[in-house]
Amino acid sequence: MKRRFILLVMFLLSTGVSLFAQQALFGGQQIVSPEINDDNSVTFRVLAPHAESVLVTGDFLPTEKVQSPMGEMEAPGKAEMTQDEKGVWSFTSEPLKPELYSYSFVIDGFTTTDPTNPFLIRDVASVTNIFIVGGGLADLYKVNDVSHGSVTRRWYDSPGLGMDRRLTIYTPPGYESSSEKYPVFYLLHGAGGDEEAWIALGRTAQIMDNLIAQGKAKPMIIVMPNGNVVQDAAPGEGNEGFYKPQFMVPKTMDGTYEANFMDIVKFIENNYRVKADKANRAIAGLSMGGFHSFHISRYYPNTFDYVGLFSAALMPREDATNKVYDDIDGTLKKQMDNGFKLYWIGIGKTDFLYNANKEYRAKLDSMGMKYTYMETDGGHIWRNWRIYLSEFAPLLFK
Amino acid sequence: MKRRFILLVMFLLSTGVSLFAQQALFGGQQIVSPEINDDNSVTFRVLAPHAESVLVTGDFLPTEKVQSPMGEMEAPGKAEMTQDEKGVWSFTSEPLKPELYSYSFVIDGFTTTDPTNPFLIRDVASVTNIFIVGGGLADLYKVNDVSHGSVTRRWYDSPGLGMDRRLTIYTPPGYESSSEKYPVFYLLHGAGGDEEAWIALGRTAQIMDNLIAQGKAKPMIIVMPNGNVVQDAAPGEGNEGFYKPQFMVPKTMDGTYEANFMDIVKFIENNYRVKADKANRAIAGLSMGGFHSFHISRYYPNTFDYVGLFSAALMPREDATNKVYDDIDGTLKKQMDNGFKLYWIGIGKTDFLYNANKEYRAKLDSMGMKYTYMETDGGHIWRNWRIYLSEFAPLLFK
């Protein structure tokens, strides 16, 4: 029967029929894209015989400057692809540095994914293809031949928000078979993200598996909740069904999340084998999640020994009325006086939040609150957040 | 700061810049697609001002006949979309029956996903968009406001295959907080699939959450292993990194998987709170997974009280040499004589495996082995496999 199957598949490939009616037998274009060459240049290919112009765009190309209401910003570069006699368009990049990259094709002005590459990530509502050029830090983003933790999507009851909500939990290798108690790291997403963001775009499971295998990070539980209080789950995973994800959803930065964060901590501490004390709790987040981490850690000023602000949205909220935002300076001072092990700030040099972070550091300096600071190239991008996670996690619980 | 964020987002949307460099701020086309109308017709839209022809293709359209080496087969229909003055192409379907549907666009001959719909499924190497028209059985495929089980990706040690391998496990609502023991259902994928197939394309978690909430299925653990013995994990999730998934991979139907299946059963029974006896074990699979379920259940003829063959690849393997395939009739007779609760067969009327299943049923009839039989419309498609799961699961462990 194998031979008959193969005959059938060959037929499907040769006719190029997308045979939904026999879905498991799908063919697809028999070209390779992306192809990572020996010198770490990457060749992209796409069959589009009728197209007049095909571009590839992505973060592997030098950025271009564009004007925005926030000032000059960086946009991904574009490169023209060239067509061969069979209608296959191709482009080969310069040799690339080790990194996880995203890209799309633009065919006669229409932005599309690469039909030859089934590896995709969703960032807010946009889906792009990804590839990894290995080596250096990027080896942390790969699945390597090491022991692997477990990743669970689970629902917790939030009495404060009045609903069951979904979260993603990484438990380290050996958690299930051990009787040991583990420290917990709460890792928060940005605006437009959800409980899928860190595990998919952030490569959290791969980074942690590799750091733990190398002895660089302690085995720990990582909790990736959903920071949008109006959602029970990521778009498509909750009661609302399928709908287009939005960058800003209501009530994300009005104090409701921070005021109900202890529902998550209680759920974890009641349901997992954890060390439930300040020395064994860390909290960090990117962008809006950095805003949340800043406020949660000072609003509960004796709860977290480790705090990470990754490209954090740290501008003051003059319009906020929630009691969470009362007496920010007083609670921050309390947090400092209570003592902590690590207050970590990371920001990209071209991030539009750079100045807000600079002002915040000046405030910390003026009050004598110690922090560790890391400045990287680039802007408000996942590349930086993966780096920050890779730098921050090894500092925890030591 | 919210206002500044919104300004920035509005800028990005208005310029239509795909701003990789500020990834979280992605825009995208501001049109709705797909839109499910009140009468359950569905409108598809795509902005492609430079295109000369745009089609939508998918399993919501009547199928078309095509010739293949296996005889006449069904291919998904295609419909022409029409362009408005703004360059937006659209098509509205007939009112559709409740179902989970897949679709793609074909723009000037180039098959592509819908950039407005971030909900995608991968089937082998092809990625298509999905939507659900609710009602009837399709309500089982939705996330409803019921208690939700947990879904875990975990790695088990297979001494027989000499590697750690990834599997997907559904534990029912209440599993973690109870001290009860649960029955276990092993659910196997087809050729080209992996441990992601049933949870993504099969909507297993949604179907089980809903059936359990309605009191129609018993709470049970569902184990979705990877049936490709040369893989440690699904493409992109294992040591091989990102590569294009193939329909046939080596050693999928040579007996190796069946001979080492007990590594999975042992792992589950050692690591989960389960009832470890025949009365509390079920096994079922689709296509190649039906082949596996057939062989595993008779090779270990006193192990499973419940067996499901979904569009099973039941042709004889004259070329197979593995001892697993010795004495098929004898072991099947042993399985019958040992007794079992349910032997369930489901097949689509136009499935290319219909006759193979008919011959197999004749064999069972001739030896007096009882089975339950379900025949559905359509062919070798996920629509049928979701139906079979929805029919089979309520019959288990009762």
Side-chain angles (χ1 to χ4, degrees), chain A residues 35-64:
Chain A
E35 183 173 6
I36 299 170
N37 305 306
D38 288 343
D39 65 350
N40 281 351
S41 66
V42 177
T43 302
F44 303 86
R45 296 184 183 91
V46 61
L47 177 69
H50 307 296
E52 287 177 17
S53 143
V54 180
L55 308 174
V56 57
T57 178
D59 54 6
F60 67 92
L61 290 164
T63 55
E64 296 170 0

Side-chain angles (χ1 to χ4, degrees), chain B residues 23-299:
Chain B
Q23 284 162 325
L25 312 175
F26 264 22
Q29 300 182 21
Q30 287 315 289
I31 55 180
V32 177
S33 179
E35 184 173 7
I36 298 169
N37 305 307
D38 289 343
D39 65 350
N40 281 354
S41 66
V42 176
T43 302
F44 303 86
R45 295 186 183 89
V46 60
L47 176 69
H50 306 295
E52 287 177 15
S53 145
V54 180
L55 308 174
V56 58
T57 178
D59 54 6
F60 68 93
L61 290 164
T63 55
E64 297 170 1
K65 303 273 183 198
V66 293
Q67 290 303 320
S68 90
M70 310 283 296
E72 198 171 67
M73 292 182 64
E74 294 171 26
K78 294 186 171 69
E80 287 188 20
M81 303 176 76
T82 53
Q83 193 178 29
D84 71 11
E85 67 285 355
K86 288 178 183 157
V88 176
W89 297 75
S90 65
F91 172 79
T92 298
S93 74
E94 297 291 303
L96 299 178
K97 286 187 202 158
E99 188 49 71
L100 185 157
Y101 294 99
S102 307
Y103 72 100
S104 300
F105 292 135
V106 185
I107 301 184
D108 289 341
F110 180 78
T111 302
T112 177
T113 50
D114 180 350
T116 306
N117 179 358
F119 302 105
L120 300 154
I121 46 174
R122 175 178 66 83
D123 193 9
V124 194
S126 293
V127 173
T128 54
N129 292 98
I130 57 170
F131 64 94
I132 295 177
V133 175
L137 208 56
D139 281 341
L140 291 179
Y141 312 155
K142 289 186 161 182
V143 178
N144 292 309
D145 191 10
V146 299
S147 292
H148 302 289
S150 300
V151 176
T152 300
R153 270 75 168 187
R154 188 168 169 185
W155 295 69
Y156 75 100
D157 174 35
S158 174
L161 298 175
M163 55 175 150
D164 284 355
R165 305 185 76 236
R166 191 169 178 263
L167 39 70
T168 302
I169 298 169
Y170 169 88
T171 51
Y175 170 80
E176 293 96 339
S177 53
S178 125
S179 54
E180 215 182 305
K181 292 184 172 185
Y182 289 80
V184 183
F185 173 18
Y186 298 87
L187 183 56
L188 313 185
H189 63 80
D194 50 57
E195 76 275 16
E196 296 293 328
W198 268 109
I199 205 76
L201 294 143
R203 306 287 291 174
T204 304
Q206 291 78 25
I207 290 171
M208 295 309 302
D209 281 353
N210 289 317
L211 287 175
I212 292 169
Q214 293 169 13
K216 289 184 181 160
K218 293 242 177 183
M220 65 184 81
I221 293 172
I222 302 196
V223 179
M224 292 156 275
N226 182 315
N228 310 312
V229 294
V230 297
Q231 292 179 346
D232 59 342
E237 301 289 348
N239 297 341
E240 296 296 315
F242 297 150
Y243 62 93
K244 190 168 179 179
Q246 306 227 322
F247 178 65
M248 292 304 288
V249 295
K251 296 167 73 68
T252 43
M253 297 169 79
D254 71 351
T256 314
Y257 186 60
E258 297 93 314
N260 293 288
F261 193 77
M262 283 302 145
D263 286 353
I264 297 170
V265 175
K266 272 179 211 149
F267 171 78
I268 295 298
E269 297 186 352
N270 287 334
N271 282 276
Y272 288 82
R273 228 171 36 251
V274 301
K275 295 178 182 163
D277 58 16
K278 184 183 177 187
N280 289 289
R281 288 192 205 103
I283 188 166
L286 74 91
S287 195
M288 177 184 85
F291 173 91
H292 286 152
S293 299
F294 159 52
H295 287 298
I296 291 166
S297 65
R298 58 142 198 86
Y299 185 65

